[in-house]
Amino acid sequence: METIIGLSNIDIAIITVYMIGTLALGFFCTRYVGNAEDFFVSGKSLPFWAIGFSIVVSDIGAMDFVAVAGATFRHGVSAANFDWMGSMPAMVFAAFVFVPYFWRTGVFTIPEFLGRRYNSAVQFLNAVIWAVVLFLGLSIMLWVTADKLMHTVLGWDAMWSLWLMAIVTGLYTFAGGLTAVVFTDVVQLVVMYVGGFGLLALSMWEVGGWSAMREQILAKGPEFQNHFTILLPHNTEGPFPWTGIVFGLGIVLAIAYMSGNQVIVQRTLGARTEWDAKGGMLLGGFLKSMIPLMVALPGLCAVILVPQLPIEEADRAVPEMIRLLLPSGLRGLMFAALFAALMSSISGTLNSASTMFITDIWGQARRWFGRPALTERQALNMGRGFTAFLIIISAILAKPIADRESIYVFMQTILSMFQGPTLAILLLGIIWRRATQWGGLVGLSLGVVFCFILKNTPGLFTSEDPFLFVAWWSFVFSLMITVVVSLLTRPEPEEKLRGLTWGSVIHSAEAQAALEERNL
Amino acid sequence: MFETQIEAFCKAAFYPFLSRIFHPINELLNPIYQPWATLTAIGFFVGTMIWVCVLLKESYVNEGRPNRRWWSDLRLWTVLSMLPHVFVYFYFY
């Protein structure tokens, strides 16, 4: 099957203008970075609309365009659950349960909040887990775009393409921190939506509309009968049973992701007011609800338009659609949209990983060894240095990590390994004053071990890849362990919990100032 | 190879115990499908809207609100952002 297409001069011009414009905007934001608070949380100046836009594009990457379309090609609309059930109501819970407490305490990171609520070991463990996940995610994002898009569709050398993306994105993230990340995200959302809806419109036109598409797909045979069923039976062999989607995804993975993922939450931490933080999360949820139209529906169209595509190469559905449907000019715009999606995800991940490393890993290790806290200037320089280090090492290791069949399920499987336990201690930490630091530490540690056991013990569930059930049951397990150990250990002092738990709203300015004291 | 060894170990060590917990739960859930699946999904969205709009205090929901205009009420934003999902899950029933 021919997969290589050429780009016209117009396409290359569009892509070049987009890249240079993004770099320029990112460097422009450097003027707003004077200290660590500016670099990590934009000096707490972000309005709700920038937060909402940034959350969406940081979350949605080129991987979603490629991998969700591929998952939809294989499994049907049930793959779209990840952007429907998997975003709302999780973002509502994040907005009204977790974000107010994160924002009010003035933390830079989620692990930092966990450190205040429980202890430094919980902070460090959670940060290390997330650092590994973000690193893997970064490598996967780089490789998917380089291999499945640039190499497959354009015939560009995968490694050369990978390094181009890494260097462009790394540069403006290094220079401008979260401010550069967020404001380039605003532009990237517009580009992404224009390109994405353009591809959708042409795809739907080509298949003859929704009803015609549905008829043609259902007529293809028994393996396509569930392609328009969003909630599949509990005992389905596929990875998306309804019980897993509602409980594992809707309650555990989605809430854990939207409330405990530094990349998502960091934007709200930079909000100028609590209302902006919450409103940004809700706006992001609304915009995210449109994402399946752009990423999942083209996958369905590909079932008809690219019928010769083997199932094991389903992740190539979008590249094939681009090759087939888009004329010159629109190809350039679509690739700019895909680059926008990728670059926003990379920049968000880079900035968040850097923030967590400085605050929770390096900073915490220094405290344990009795070293003085980093100055604002030192933290800023270290943050930039780690940003550069991380993008380089991710680019080097991208291929060995990410070169596998179904990337989306692989990434979701990784996330399911610890999100249940993390959500359990985060939730109990806020709603239950009796949760103790030892309950949190044991709940998190044993919860991750339990995840590992469930994941590697075949035959417990019917689903071929039961990561949704692993997430749910590890959440339940961690809840129980945290409660039991908390009840067996001494309660935390009132003063420690002030402002960190449900209902303990801080009203005095003095208490608020004490609460917001930095860990740096 | 290493993954296979881990799976073999976990199966030998944990499967006899864990299967006694999960297999009965699976047998209980297997026959439960529609309309309960869609009702549960939609109920999740509707329940969340009710929680924000009715159960949470307005002062907490709109803490830091820039003005008292109707469009800045985050309860309205919650409903507007959740409603499309209700329709989607109802449509695909």
Side-chain angles (χ1 to χ4, degrees):
Chain A
M1 175 167 44
E2 184 184 345
T3 56
I4 306 299
I5 60 171
L7 288 181
S8 66
N9 290 337
I10 295 174
D11 296 324
I12 293 174
I14 290 172
I15 292 170
T16 305
V17 165
Y18 166 73
M19 291 281 191
I20 293 173
T22 302
L23 209 48
L25 178 58
F27 276 115
F28 175 79
C29 293
T30 309
R31 65 179 57 193
Y32 299 110
V33 179
N35 56 35
E37 189 177 72
D38 294 336
F39 189 80
F40 295 135
V41 290
S42 291
K44 290 192 92 133
S45 63
L46 297 175
F48 77 92
W49 50 269
I51 294 169
F53 279 32
S54 183
I55 284 174
V56 176
V57 290
S58 290
D59 181 43
I60 299 299
M63 186 167 75
D64 291 83
F65 277 94
V66 170
V68 174
T72 311
F73 184 93
R74 284 189 189 88
H75 304 291
V77 294
S78 58
N81 276 303
F82 285 86
D83 287 304
W84 281 327
M85 181 66 73
S87 55
M88 306 296 277
M91 295 177 91
V92 174
F93 278 111
F96 296 115
V97 176
F98 298 99
V99 164
Y101 292 90
F102 297 156
W103 189 86
R104 287 175 193 177
T105 52
V107 295
F108 282 178
T109 67
I110 311 306
E112 186 182 349
F113 180 85
L114 288 173
R116 293 188 190 192
R117 177 60 182 86
Y118 294 110
N119 60 30
S120 57
V122 174
Q123 176 179 0
F124 189 80
L125 179 59
N126 188 255
V128 166
I129 290 171
W130 267 109
V132 171
V133 167
L134 292 181
F135 165 68
L136 290 175
L138 207 47
S139 298
I140 289 171
M141 283 186 257
L142 284 169
W143 181 250
V144 164
T145 312
D147 179 50
K148 296 205 183 308
L149 283 174
M150 297 176 182
H151 175 64
T152 300
V153 182
L154 303 177
W156 294 1
D157 178 76
M159 290 310 293
W160 186 90
S161 309
L162 185 152
W163 279 103
L164 173 67
M165 289 286 100
I167 289 168
V168 170
T169 316
L171 276 174
Y172 74 75
T173 309
F174 173 90
L178 186 65
T179 305
V181 168
V182 169
F183 284 100
T184 51
D185 283 351
V186 171
V187 173
Q188 284 161 347
L189 180 127
V190 174
V191 174
M192 195 174 83
Y193 271 53
V194 168
F197 278 108
L199 179 63
L200 171 67
L202 285 173
S203 305
M204 293 302 288
W205 176 267
E206 199 66 26
V207 299
W210 175 264
S211 301
M213 177 185 69
R214 188 178 173 132
E215 267 179 45
Q216 291 175 73
I217 290 178
L218 292 176
K220 286 178 77 69
E223 65 270 33
F224 295 97
Q225 293 315 297
N226 285 329
H227 265 52
F228 290 92
T229 305
I230 199 166
L231 295 171
L232 297 171
H234 172 76
N235 58 354
T236 183
E237 287 180 3
F240 309 133
W242 79 268
T243 40
I245 291 293
V246 174
F247 295 97
L249 175 64
I251 294 176
V252 178
L253 287 180
I255 297 178
Y257 187 79
M258 294 302 171
S259 307
N261 183 347
Q262 182 67 21
V263 178
I264 302 296
V265 177
Q266 192 160 343
R267 281 113 191 82
T268 63
L269 300 180
R272 59 188 176 190
T273 68
E274 186 176 320
W275 183 89
D276 283 279
K278 293 172 184 166
M281 189 62 85
L282 294 176
L283 174 63
F286 177 74
L287 292 171
K288 271 208 74 175
S289 65
M290 297 182 218
I291 293 295
L293 302 178
M294 288 192 288
V295 301
L297 290 196
L300 282 180
C301 296
V303 174
I304 299 165
L305 298 176
V306 197
Q308 70 277 21
L309 187 67
I311 281 288
E312 57 273 11
E313 290 182 42
D315 286 350
R316 296 195 166 182
V318 160
E320 287 301 311
M321 300 281 279
I322 293 172
R323 183 183 66 81
L324 201 65
L325 296 176
L326 299 187
S328 282
L330 281 182
R331 279 185 193 173
L333 184 64
M334 188 64 208
F335 275 101
L338 293 170
F339 294 157
L342 170 72
M343 289 162 68
S344 60
S345 299
I346 290 176
S347 61
T349 302
L350 262 183
N351 183 256
S352 295
S354 169
T355 307
M356 270 202 313
F357 177 78
I358 299 304
T359 305
D360 306 307
I361 297 176
W362 186 253
Q364 191 52 56
R366 286 177 65 92
R367 279 188 290 279
W368 281 341
F369 286 105
R371 301 297 300 274
L374 292 169
T375 64
E376 287 281 317
R377 199 76 210 165
Q378 284 175 328
L380 172 61
N381 290 337
M382 282 217 69
R384 282 183 161 146
F386 186 74
T387 298
F389 168 76
L390 186 59
I391 191 66
I392 291 169
I393 204 76
S394 299
I396 291 171
L397 296 177
K399 185 173 192 296
I401 289 171
D403 199 7
R404 58 187 68 230
E405 190 183 308
S406 178
I407 298 165
Y408 198 78
V409 175
F410 171 67
M411 196 60 200
Q412 294 299 329
T413 302
I414 292 176
L415 288 171
S416 73
M417 290 291 285
F418 67 93
Q419 297 240 69
T422 301
L423 178 64
I425 68 167
L426 206 49
L427 188 64
L428 280 176
I430 286 179
I431 67 172
W432 192 43
R433 303 173 67 83
R434 189 63 180 83
T436 67
Q437 55 178 303
W438 302 114
L441 182 60
V442 176
L444 179 62
S445 309
L446 291 186
V448 172
V449 172
F450 188 66
C451 273
F452 184 83
I453 291 170
L454 282 186
K455 172 78 179 63
N456 289 289
T457 306
L460 294 177
F461 309 101
T462 315
S463 173
E464 69 197 16
D465 196 343
F467 66 95
L468 295 174
F469 293 131
V470 169
W472 168 254
W473 289 113
S474 63
F475 168 70
V476 172
F477 178 83
S478 284
L479 274 182
M480 292 191 309
I481 294 294
T482 304
V483 167
V484 167
V485 174
S486 293
L487 291 174
L488 292 174
T489 48
R490 196 170 52 203
E492 301 293 343
E494 272 306 307
E495 199 48 43
K496 178 183 174 183
L497 300 180
R498 212 165 158 214
L500 299 176
T501 57
W502 192 262
S504 66
V505 177
I506 296 295
H507 288 298
S508 86
E510 191 183 310
Q512 184 68 27
L515 195 61
E516 288 178 7
E517 186 185 334
R518 285 282 162 276
N519 280 343
L520 286 176
Chain B
M1 182 66 180
F2 181 61
E3 286 175 2
T4 313
Q5 287 175 336
I6 291 178
E7 276 192 13
F9 170 77
C10 286
K11 185 155 187 173
F14 302 110
Y15 180 84
F17 171 66
L18 292 176
S19 60
R20 287 202 191 108
I21 299 172
F22 291 114
H23 285 182
I25 294 174
N26 290 335
E27 279 161 24
L28 189 68
L29 291 174
N30 281 343
I32 302 176
Y33 187 34
Q34 296 293 13
W36 307 109
T38 299
L39 282 174
T40 306
I42 291 179
F44 195 14
F45 292 109
V46 172
T48 305
M49 283 192 270
I50 292 171
W51 172 63
V52 173
C53 297
V54 176
L55 297 178
L56 289 179
K57 285 185 186 169
E58 190 273 337
S59 57
Y60 174 76
V61 171
N62 288 315
E63 176 75 32
R65 189 174 178 179
N67 52 58
R68 297 297 302 179
R69 297 206 175 128
W70 60 271
W71 59 261
S72 67
D73 189 334
L74 293 182
R75 293 173 300 179
L76 176 65
W77 292 32
T78 302
V79 172
L80 289 178
S81 56
M82 298 277 273
L83 269 182
H85 300 81
V86 174
F87 294 131
V88 163
Y89 281 84
F90 185 69
Y91 174 83
F92 282 107
Y93 167 64

